[in-house]
């Protein structure tokens, strides 16, 4: 070996020391992998229509069998225990059946009990729990993921996982072990909509290998037999099992819609969620494209004039913030500062639970921008969604409620698909905010908590109409007076400056 | 299925030959994959997978070159695929991970030489590792990478020059 080669070899030897291997165990593992690969390759492709039932059967027979080696005297005891177990099982099944008929999860049979599918792989569960614990807004501790669907495409292993959170069902996609932000839908919205399929995420772009893929997934009721995703090339069958469906496309284009097929073979068109960038002139799928901001029945010149706040006669907005009271929970500066505009100096910040059993949290911060001591204070609100970074917006405190009684933003859900969150700050007079979507068919109401509100929308194509009610001394307190209303669309409503 | 049963269904010495090579050269294969991927666990997994694939596809080996070169080719391709898959994971993680975590993941603990090698183009890195870890000659490297022996020489020269320059800059 020549001298230069020896030099390089020595350098590399020290940089990459030779590994220590157990060759016997290693070769046994190779044989095992080769055998597993052969059996995978020999498995015939299953037509999608029967895949669901087979999946159920497979999961049933794949449970580990444990033979109980009972001696004769113990057999009668074993039989008695088995009978008792059967009776308990029957009782549980009857109770579950009663719930299925009219319970909160009607139409989502697989989500009863311990949940659908199989337990998530331990590594996936650990990763989720760790990220959840580190997140500002988080799901309850002990949330267990279930593995619903999986597939391999373009060298990437995709796993669709599901879990229950208070009042909602959630899905999370993992690509080669790295999870996306979870996407959730309120159980009430899932069961009351009466739709076969609820598309949660549509055409979410992911980078996979040298090209981009898009993923579409969501929930399907027990009545759905097939879900096809429609794009510019046609309709494509998705994987469907455990009341969930998944479609991964090597095409980077966003799907146009979906088709759900019920047991009778009826095909029902399903609108895919509208995201801010996808709102466009696809009227056939029900998107609304023109942002509007106007009063019902009012002339343009009169917009919001009645809602304007008379200065000097209002209680101080967010007084707890100005007086630095320990409302809500502490919010570490490290969780806020990176999200604020450059040059922002954090004076005080707290984390508010907007209520409604939501995992969302809203950070409210008092900041000054620039080095000047007397720089005018600003209020920043930060929306924290589980397992996701926050999204911040700021506005000068002095003019916070100058034109409206509420101020805030409509932001996409963390998954970037269906759903949006209306989050913002409310003047002290505001007692209730009602959001009407879908031609007044769905109404969501929230009361601000410590001047903060958040409304989660799971509808797909909507342009919410907001009604803001005033706090009055009348009894009962519900007798509020509507004093501000507006129709909004993404990014087109009274919005503070986005940080 | 045990190894005996599997070999019963095989073409005589093929499995035995692959096993012999595994036992003789597994450390070199794993070392190469570790150097390519920068992850010892992933590297072991890659080599195991490559050998499993070689066992399953042993009928495709036509005996035109050496069995070792064919196996190196399998390990090289599996390493490439694993590296690409990991790149996907990293890109995917960009959406979810906090900036600080990403920075930590990128920096890692890298020696000067390791850092310099990591910056080489993939083909140059492969040539370096196959030459020094696998101790393959130019013809075998060419067979493993699917390029000509002349290209191997030129690639190695370019890699050496780049490494020298980078190491001098760092010192």
């Amino acid at each position: 070996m020549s001298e230069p080669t020896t030099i390089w070899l020595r350098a590399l030897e020290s940089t990459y020391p030779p590994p220590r291997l157990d060759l016997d165990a290693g070769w046994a593992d190779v044989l095992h992998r080769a055998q597993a690969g052969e059996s995978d390759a020999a498995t015939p492709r299953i037509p999608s229509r029967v895949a669901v039932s087979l999946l159920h059967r497979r999961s049933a027979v794949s449970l580990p069998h444990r033979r109980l080696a009972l001696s004769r005297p113990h057999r009668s005891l074993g039989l008695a225990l088995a009978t008792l177990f059967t009776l308990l099982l029957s009782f549980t099944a009857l109770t579950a059946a009663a719930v299925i008929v009219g319970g909160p999860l009607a139409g989502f049979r697989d989500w009863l009990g311990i949940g659908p599918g199989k337990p998530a792989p331990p590594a996936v569960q650990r990763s989720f729990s760790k990220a959840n614990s580190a997140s500002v807004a988080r799901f309850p501790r002990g949330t267990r993921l279930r593995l619903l669907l999986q597939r391999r495409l373009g060298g990437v292993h995709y796993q669709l996982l599901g879990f229950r959170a208070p009042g909602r069902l959630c899905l999370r996609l993992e690509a080669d072990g790295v999870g996306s932000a979870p996407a959730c839908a309120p159980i009430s919205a899932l069961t009351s909509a009466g739709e076969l399929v609820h598309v949660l995420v549509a055409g979410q772009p992911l980078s996979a290998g040298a090209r981009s893929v898009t993923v579409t997934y969501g929930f399907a009721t027990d009545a759905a037999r097939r879900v096809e995703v429609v794009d510019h090339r046609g309709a494509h069958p998705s994987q469907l099992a455990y009341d969930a469906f998944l479609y991964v496309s090597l095409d980077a284009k966003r799907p146009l819609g979906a088709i759900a097929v019920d047991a009778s073979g009826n095909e029902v068109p399903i609108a895919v969620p509208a995201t801010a960038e996808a709102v466009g002139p696809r009227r056939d799928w029900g998107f609304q494209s023109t942002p509007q901001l106007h009063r019902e029945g009012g002339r343009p010149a009169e917009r919001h004039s009645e809602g304007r706040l008379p200065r000097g006669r209002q209680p101080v907005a967010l007084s707890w913030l100005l007086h630095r009271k320990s409302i809500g929970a502490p919010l570490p500066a490290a969780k806020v500062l990176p999200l604020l505009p450059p040059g922002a100096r954090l004076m005080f910040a707290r984390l508010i639970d907007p209520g409604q059993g939501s995992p969302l949290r809203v950070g409210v911060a008092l900041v000054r921008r620039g080095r000047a001591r007397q720089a005018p204070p600003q209020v920043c609100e930060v929306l924290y969604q589980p397992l996701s970074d926050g999204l911040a917006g700021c506005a000068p405190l002095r003019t916070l409620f100058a034109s409206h009684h509420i101020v805030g933003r409509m932001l996409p859900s963390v998954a970037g698909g269906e759903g949006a969150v209306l989050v913002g700050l409310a003047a002290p007079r505001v007692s209730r905010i009602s959001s009407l979507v879908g031609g007044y068919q769905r109404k969501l109401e929230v009361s601000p908590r410590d001047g903060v509100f958040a409304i989660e929308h799971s509808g797909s194509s909507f342009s919410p109409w907001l009604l803001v009610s005033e706090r009055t001394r009348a009894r009962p307190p519900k007798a509020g007076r509507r004093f501000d209303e507006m129709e909004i669309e993404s990014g087109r409503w009274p919005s503070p400056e986005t940080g | 299925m045990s190894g005996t049963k599997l070999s019963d269904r095989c073409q005589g010495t093929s499995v035995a030959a692959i096993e012999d090579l595994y036992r003789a050269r597994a450390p070199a294969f794993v070392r190469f994959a570790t150097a390519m991927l920068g992850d010892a666990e992933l590297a072991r997994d890659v080599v195991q997978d490559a050998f499993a694939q070689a066992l399953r596809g042993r009928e495709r080996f036509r005996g035109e070159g050496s069995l070792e070169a064919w196996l190196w080719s399998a390990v090289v391709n599996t390493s490439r695929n694993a590296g690409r898959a990991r790149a996907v994971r990293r890109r995917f993680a960009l959406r979810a991970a906090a900036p600080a975590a990403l920075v930590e993941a990128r920096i890692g603990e890298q020696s000067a030489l390791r850092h310099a090698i990591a910056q080489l183009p993939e083909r140059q890195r492969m040539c370096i590792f196959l030459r020094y870890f696998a101790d393959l000659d130019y013809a075998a490297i060419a067979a493993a990478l699917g390029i000509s022996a002349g290209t191997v020489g030129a690639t190695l020269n370019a890699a050496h020059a780049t490494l020298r320059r980078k190491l001098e800059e760092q010192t």
Side-chain angles (χ1 to χ4, degrees), chain A residues 44 72 215 219 309 342 379 434:
Chain A
R72 279 178 185 276
V215 291
F219 294 105
L309 295 176
V379 176
S434 307

Side-chain angles (χ1 to χ4, degrees), chain A residues 337 340-348 366-375 378:
Chain A
L337 274 174
L340 298 180
R345 285 182 290 133
L346 183 64
M347 316 301 288
F348 184 66
L366 185 66
V367 305
R368 290 185 195 273
R369 293 180 71 175
R371 294 187 175 181
R373 278 192 176 183
Q374 297 307 317
Q378 292 199 342

Side-chain angles (χ1 to χ4, degrees), chain A residues 89-391:
Chain A
L89 202 64
S90 307
F91 176 74
T92 310
L94 284 172
T95 311
V99 173
I100 292 166
V101 173
L105 276 168
F108 292 88
R109 188 177 51 213
D110 287 332
W111 285 86
L112 291 168
I114 59 169
K118 299 183 292 186
V124 171
Q125 179 66 54
R126 272 198 304 276
S127 159
F128 173 83
S129 300
K130 189 177 173 185
N132 190 41
S133 298
S135 181
V136 173
R138 60 177 76 107
F139 296 106
R141 288 180 194 278
T143 298
R144 309 304 295 177
L145 299 183
R146 308 286 298 179
L147 178 58
L148 308 180
L149 290 163
Q150 53 186 329
R151 74 162 306 185
R152 182 173 285 279
L153 184 68
V156 180
H157 186 210
Y158 298 91
Q159 294 176 303
L160 186 65
L161 303 137
F163 61 95
R164 280 188 72 167
R168 62 199 68 210
L169 300 182
C170 303
L171 296 175
R172 171 179 166 91
L173 186 75
E174 295 238 350
D176 270 350
V178 180
S180 67
C184 301
I187 291 173
S188 57
L190 286 172
T191 53
S192 65
E195 292 179 344
L196 283 173
V197 165
H198 189 91
V199 182
L200 210 53
V201 169
Q204 185 180 16
L206 298 175
S207 295
R211 56 196 302 185
S212 293
V213 301
T214 54
V215 291
T216 300
Y217 53 89
F219 294 105
T221 63
D222 301 329
R225 292 291 177 270
R226 200 167 75 241
V227 179
E228 294 177 354
V229 175
V230 182
D231 63 14
H232 63 290
R233 293 176 298 139
H236 312 280
S238 66
Q239 285 181 283
L240 172 66
Y242 302 120
D243 292 336
F245 73 95
L246 169 65
Y247 175 64
V248 184
S249 171
L250 289 173
D251 195 321
K253 289 196 175 175
R254 187 184 154 76
L256 303 171
I259 295 171
V261 182
D262 65 13
S264 306
N266 298 320
E267 295 188 344
V268 182
I270 305 289
V272 296
T275 53
E277 66 276 15
V279 171
R282 292 199 206 98
R283 295 184 186 281
D284 52 334
W285 289 103
F287 291 142
Q288 298 185 25
S289 58
T290 311
Q292 294 282 332
L293 180 63
H294 59 80
R295 279 183 62 81
E296 184 180 22
R299 295 195 301 271
E302 294 174 345
R303 286 178 189 174
H304 310 294
S305 56
E306 291 172 15
R308 193 172 293 278
L309 295 176
R311 290 185 186 285
R313 294 171 58 189
Q314 289 292 311
V316 178
L318 297 167
S319 60
W320 64 265
L321 184 69
L322 296 177
H323 294 104
R324 306 189 184 192
K325 289 184 179 173
S326 297
I327 299 291
L331 180 59
K335 298 284 187 183
V336 188
L337 274 174
L339 307 170
L340 298 180
R345 285 182 290 133
L346 183 64
M347 316 301 288
F348 184 66
R350 298 296 290 181
L351 190 66
I352 306 297
D353 174 0
Q356 320 293 320
S358 167
L360 302 180
R361 293 293 181 269
V362 180
V364 183
L366 185 66
V367 305
R368 290 185 195 273
R369 293 180 71 175
R371 294 187 175 181
R373 278 192 176 183
Q374 297 307 317
Q378 292 199 342
V379 176
C380 297
E381 54 91 353
V382 188
L383 173 65
Y384 294 101
Q385 302 184 68
L387 286 80
S388 173
D389 291 335
L391 297 163

Side-chain angles (χ1 to χ4, degrees), chain A residues 9-83:
Chain A
L9 188 57
R10 280 183 191 160
L12 288 167
E13 286 276 357
S14 59
T15 307
Y16 300 97
R20 292 180 180 176
L21 300 174
D22 180 345
L23 295 173
D24 289 332
W27 181 246
D29 178 53
V30 168
L31 291 173
H32 178 74
R33 289 179 190 224
Q35 176 221 335
E38 279 180 356
S39 55
D40 283 351
T43 306
R45 292 188 64 139
I46 303 165
S48 61
R49 203 172 268 197
V50 297
V52 180
S53 58
L54 281 180
L55 273 170
H56 284 289
R57 279 185 218 155
R58 281 181 178 180
S59 63
V61 298
S62 63
L63 290 171
H65 292 284
R66 296 183 65 185
R67 286 179 178 275
L68 296 174
L70 294 178
S71 60
R72 279 178 185 276
H74 290 151
R75 275 188 188 161
S76 55
L77 178 62
L79 279 172
L81 285 173
T83 310

Side-chain angles (χ1 to χ4, degrees), chain A residues 13 24 26 33 176 206 209, chain B residues 23 31 45 48 88-89 92:
Chain A
E13 286 276 357
D24 289 332
R33 289 179 190 224
D176 270 350
L206 298 175
Chain B
R23 291 183 181 280
R31 204 170 174 201
D45 206 40
Q48 296 295 102
V88 170
R89 285 199 296 275
F92 195 55

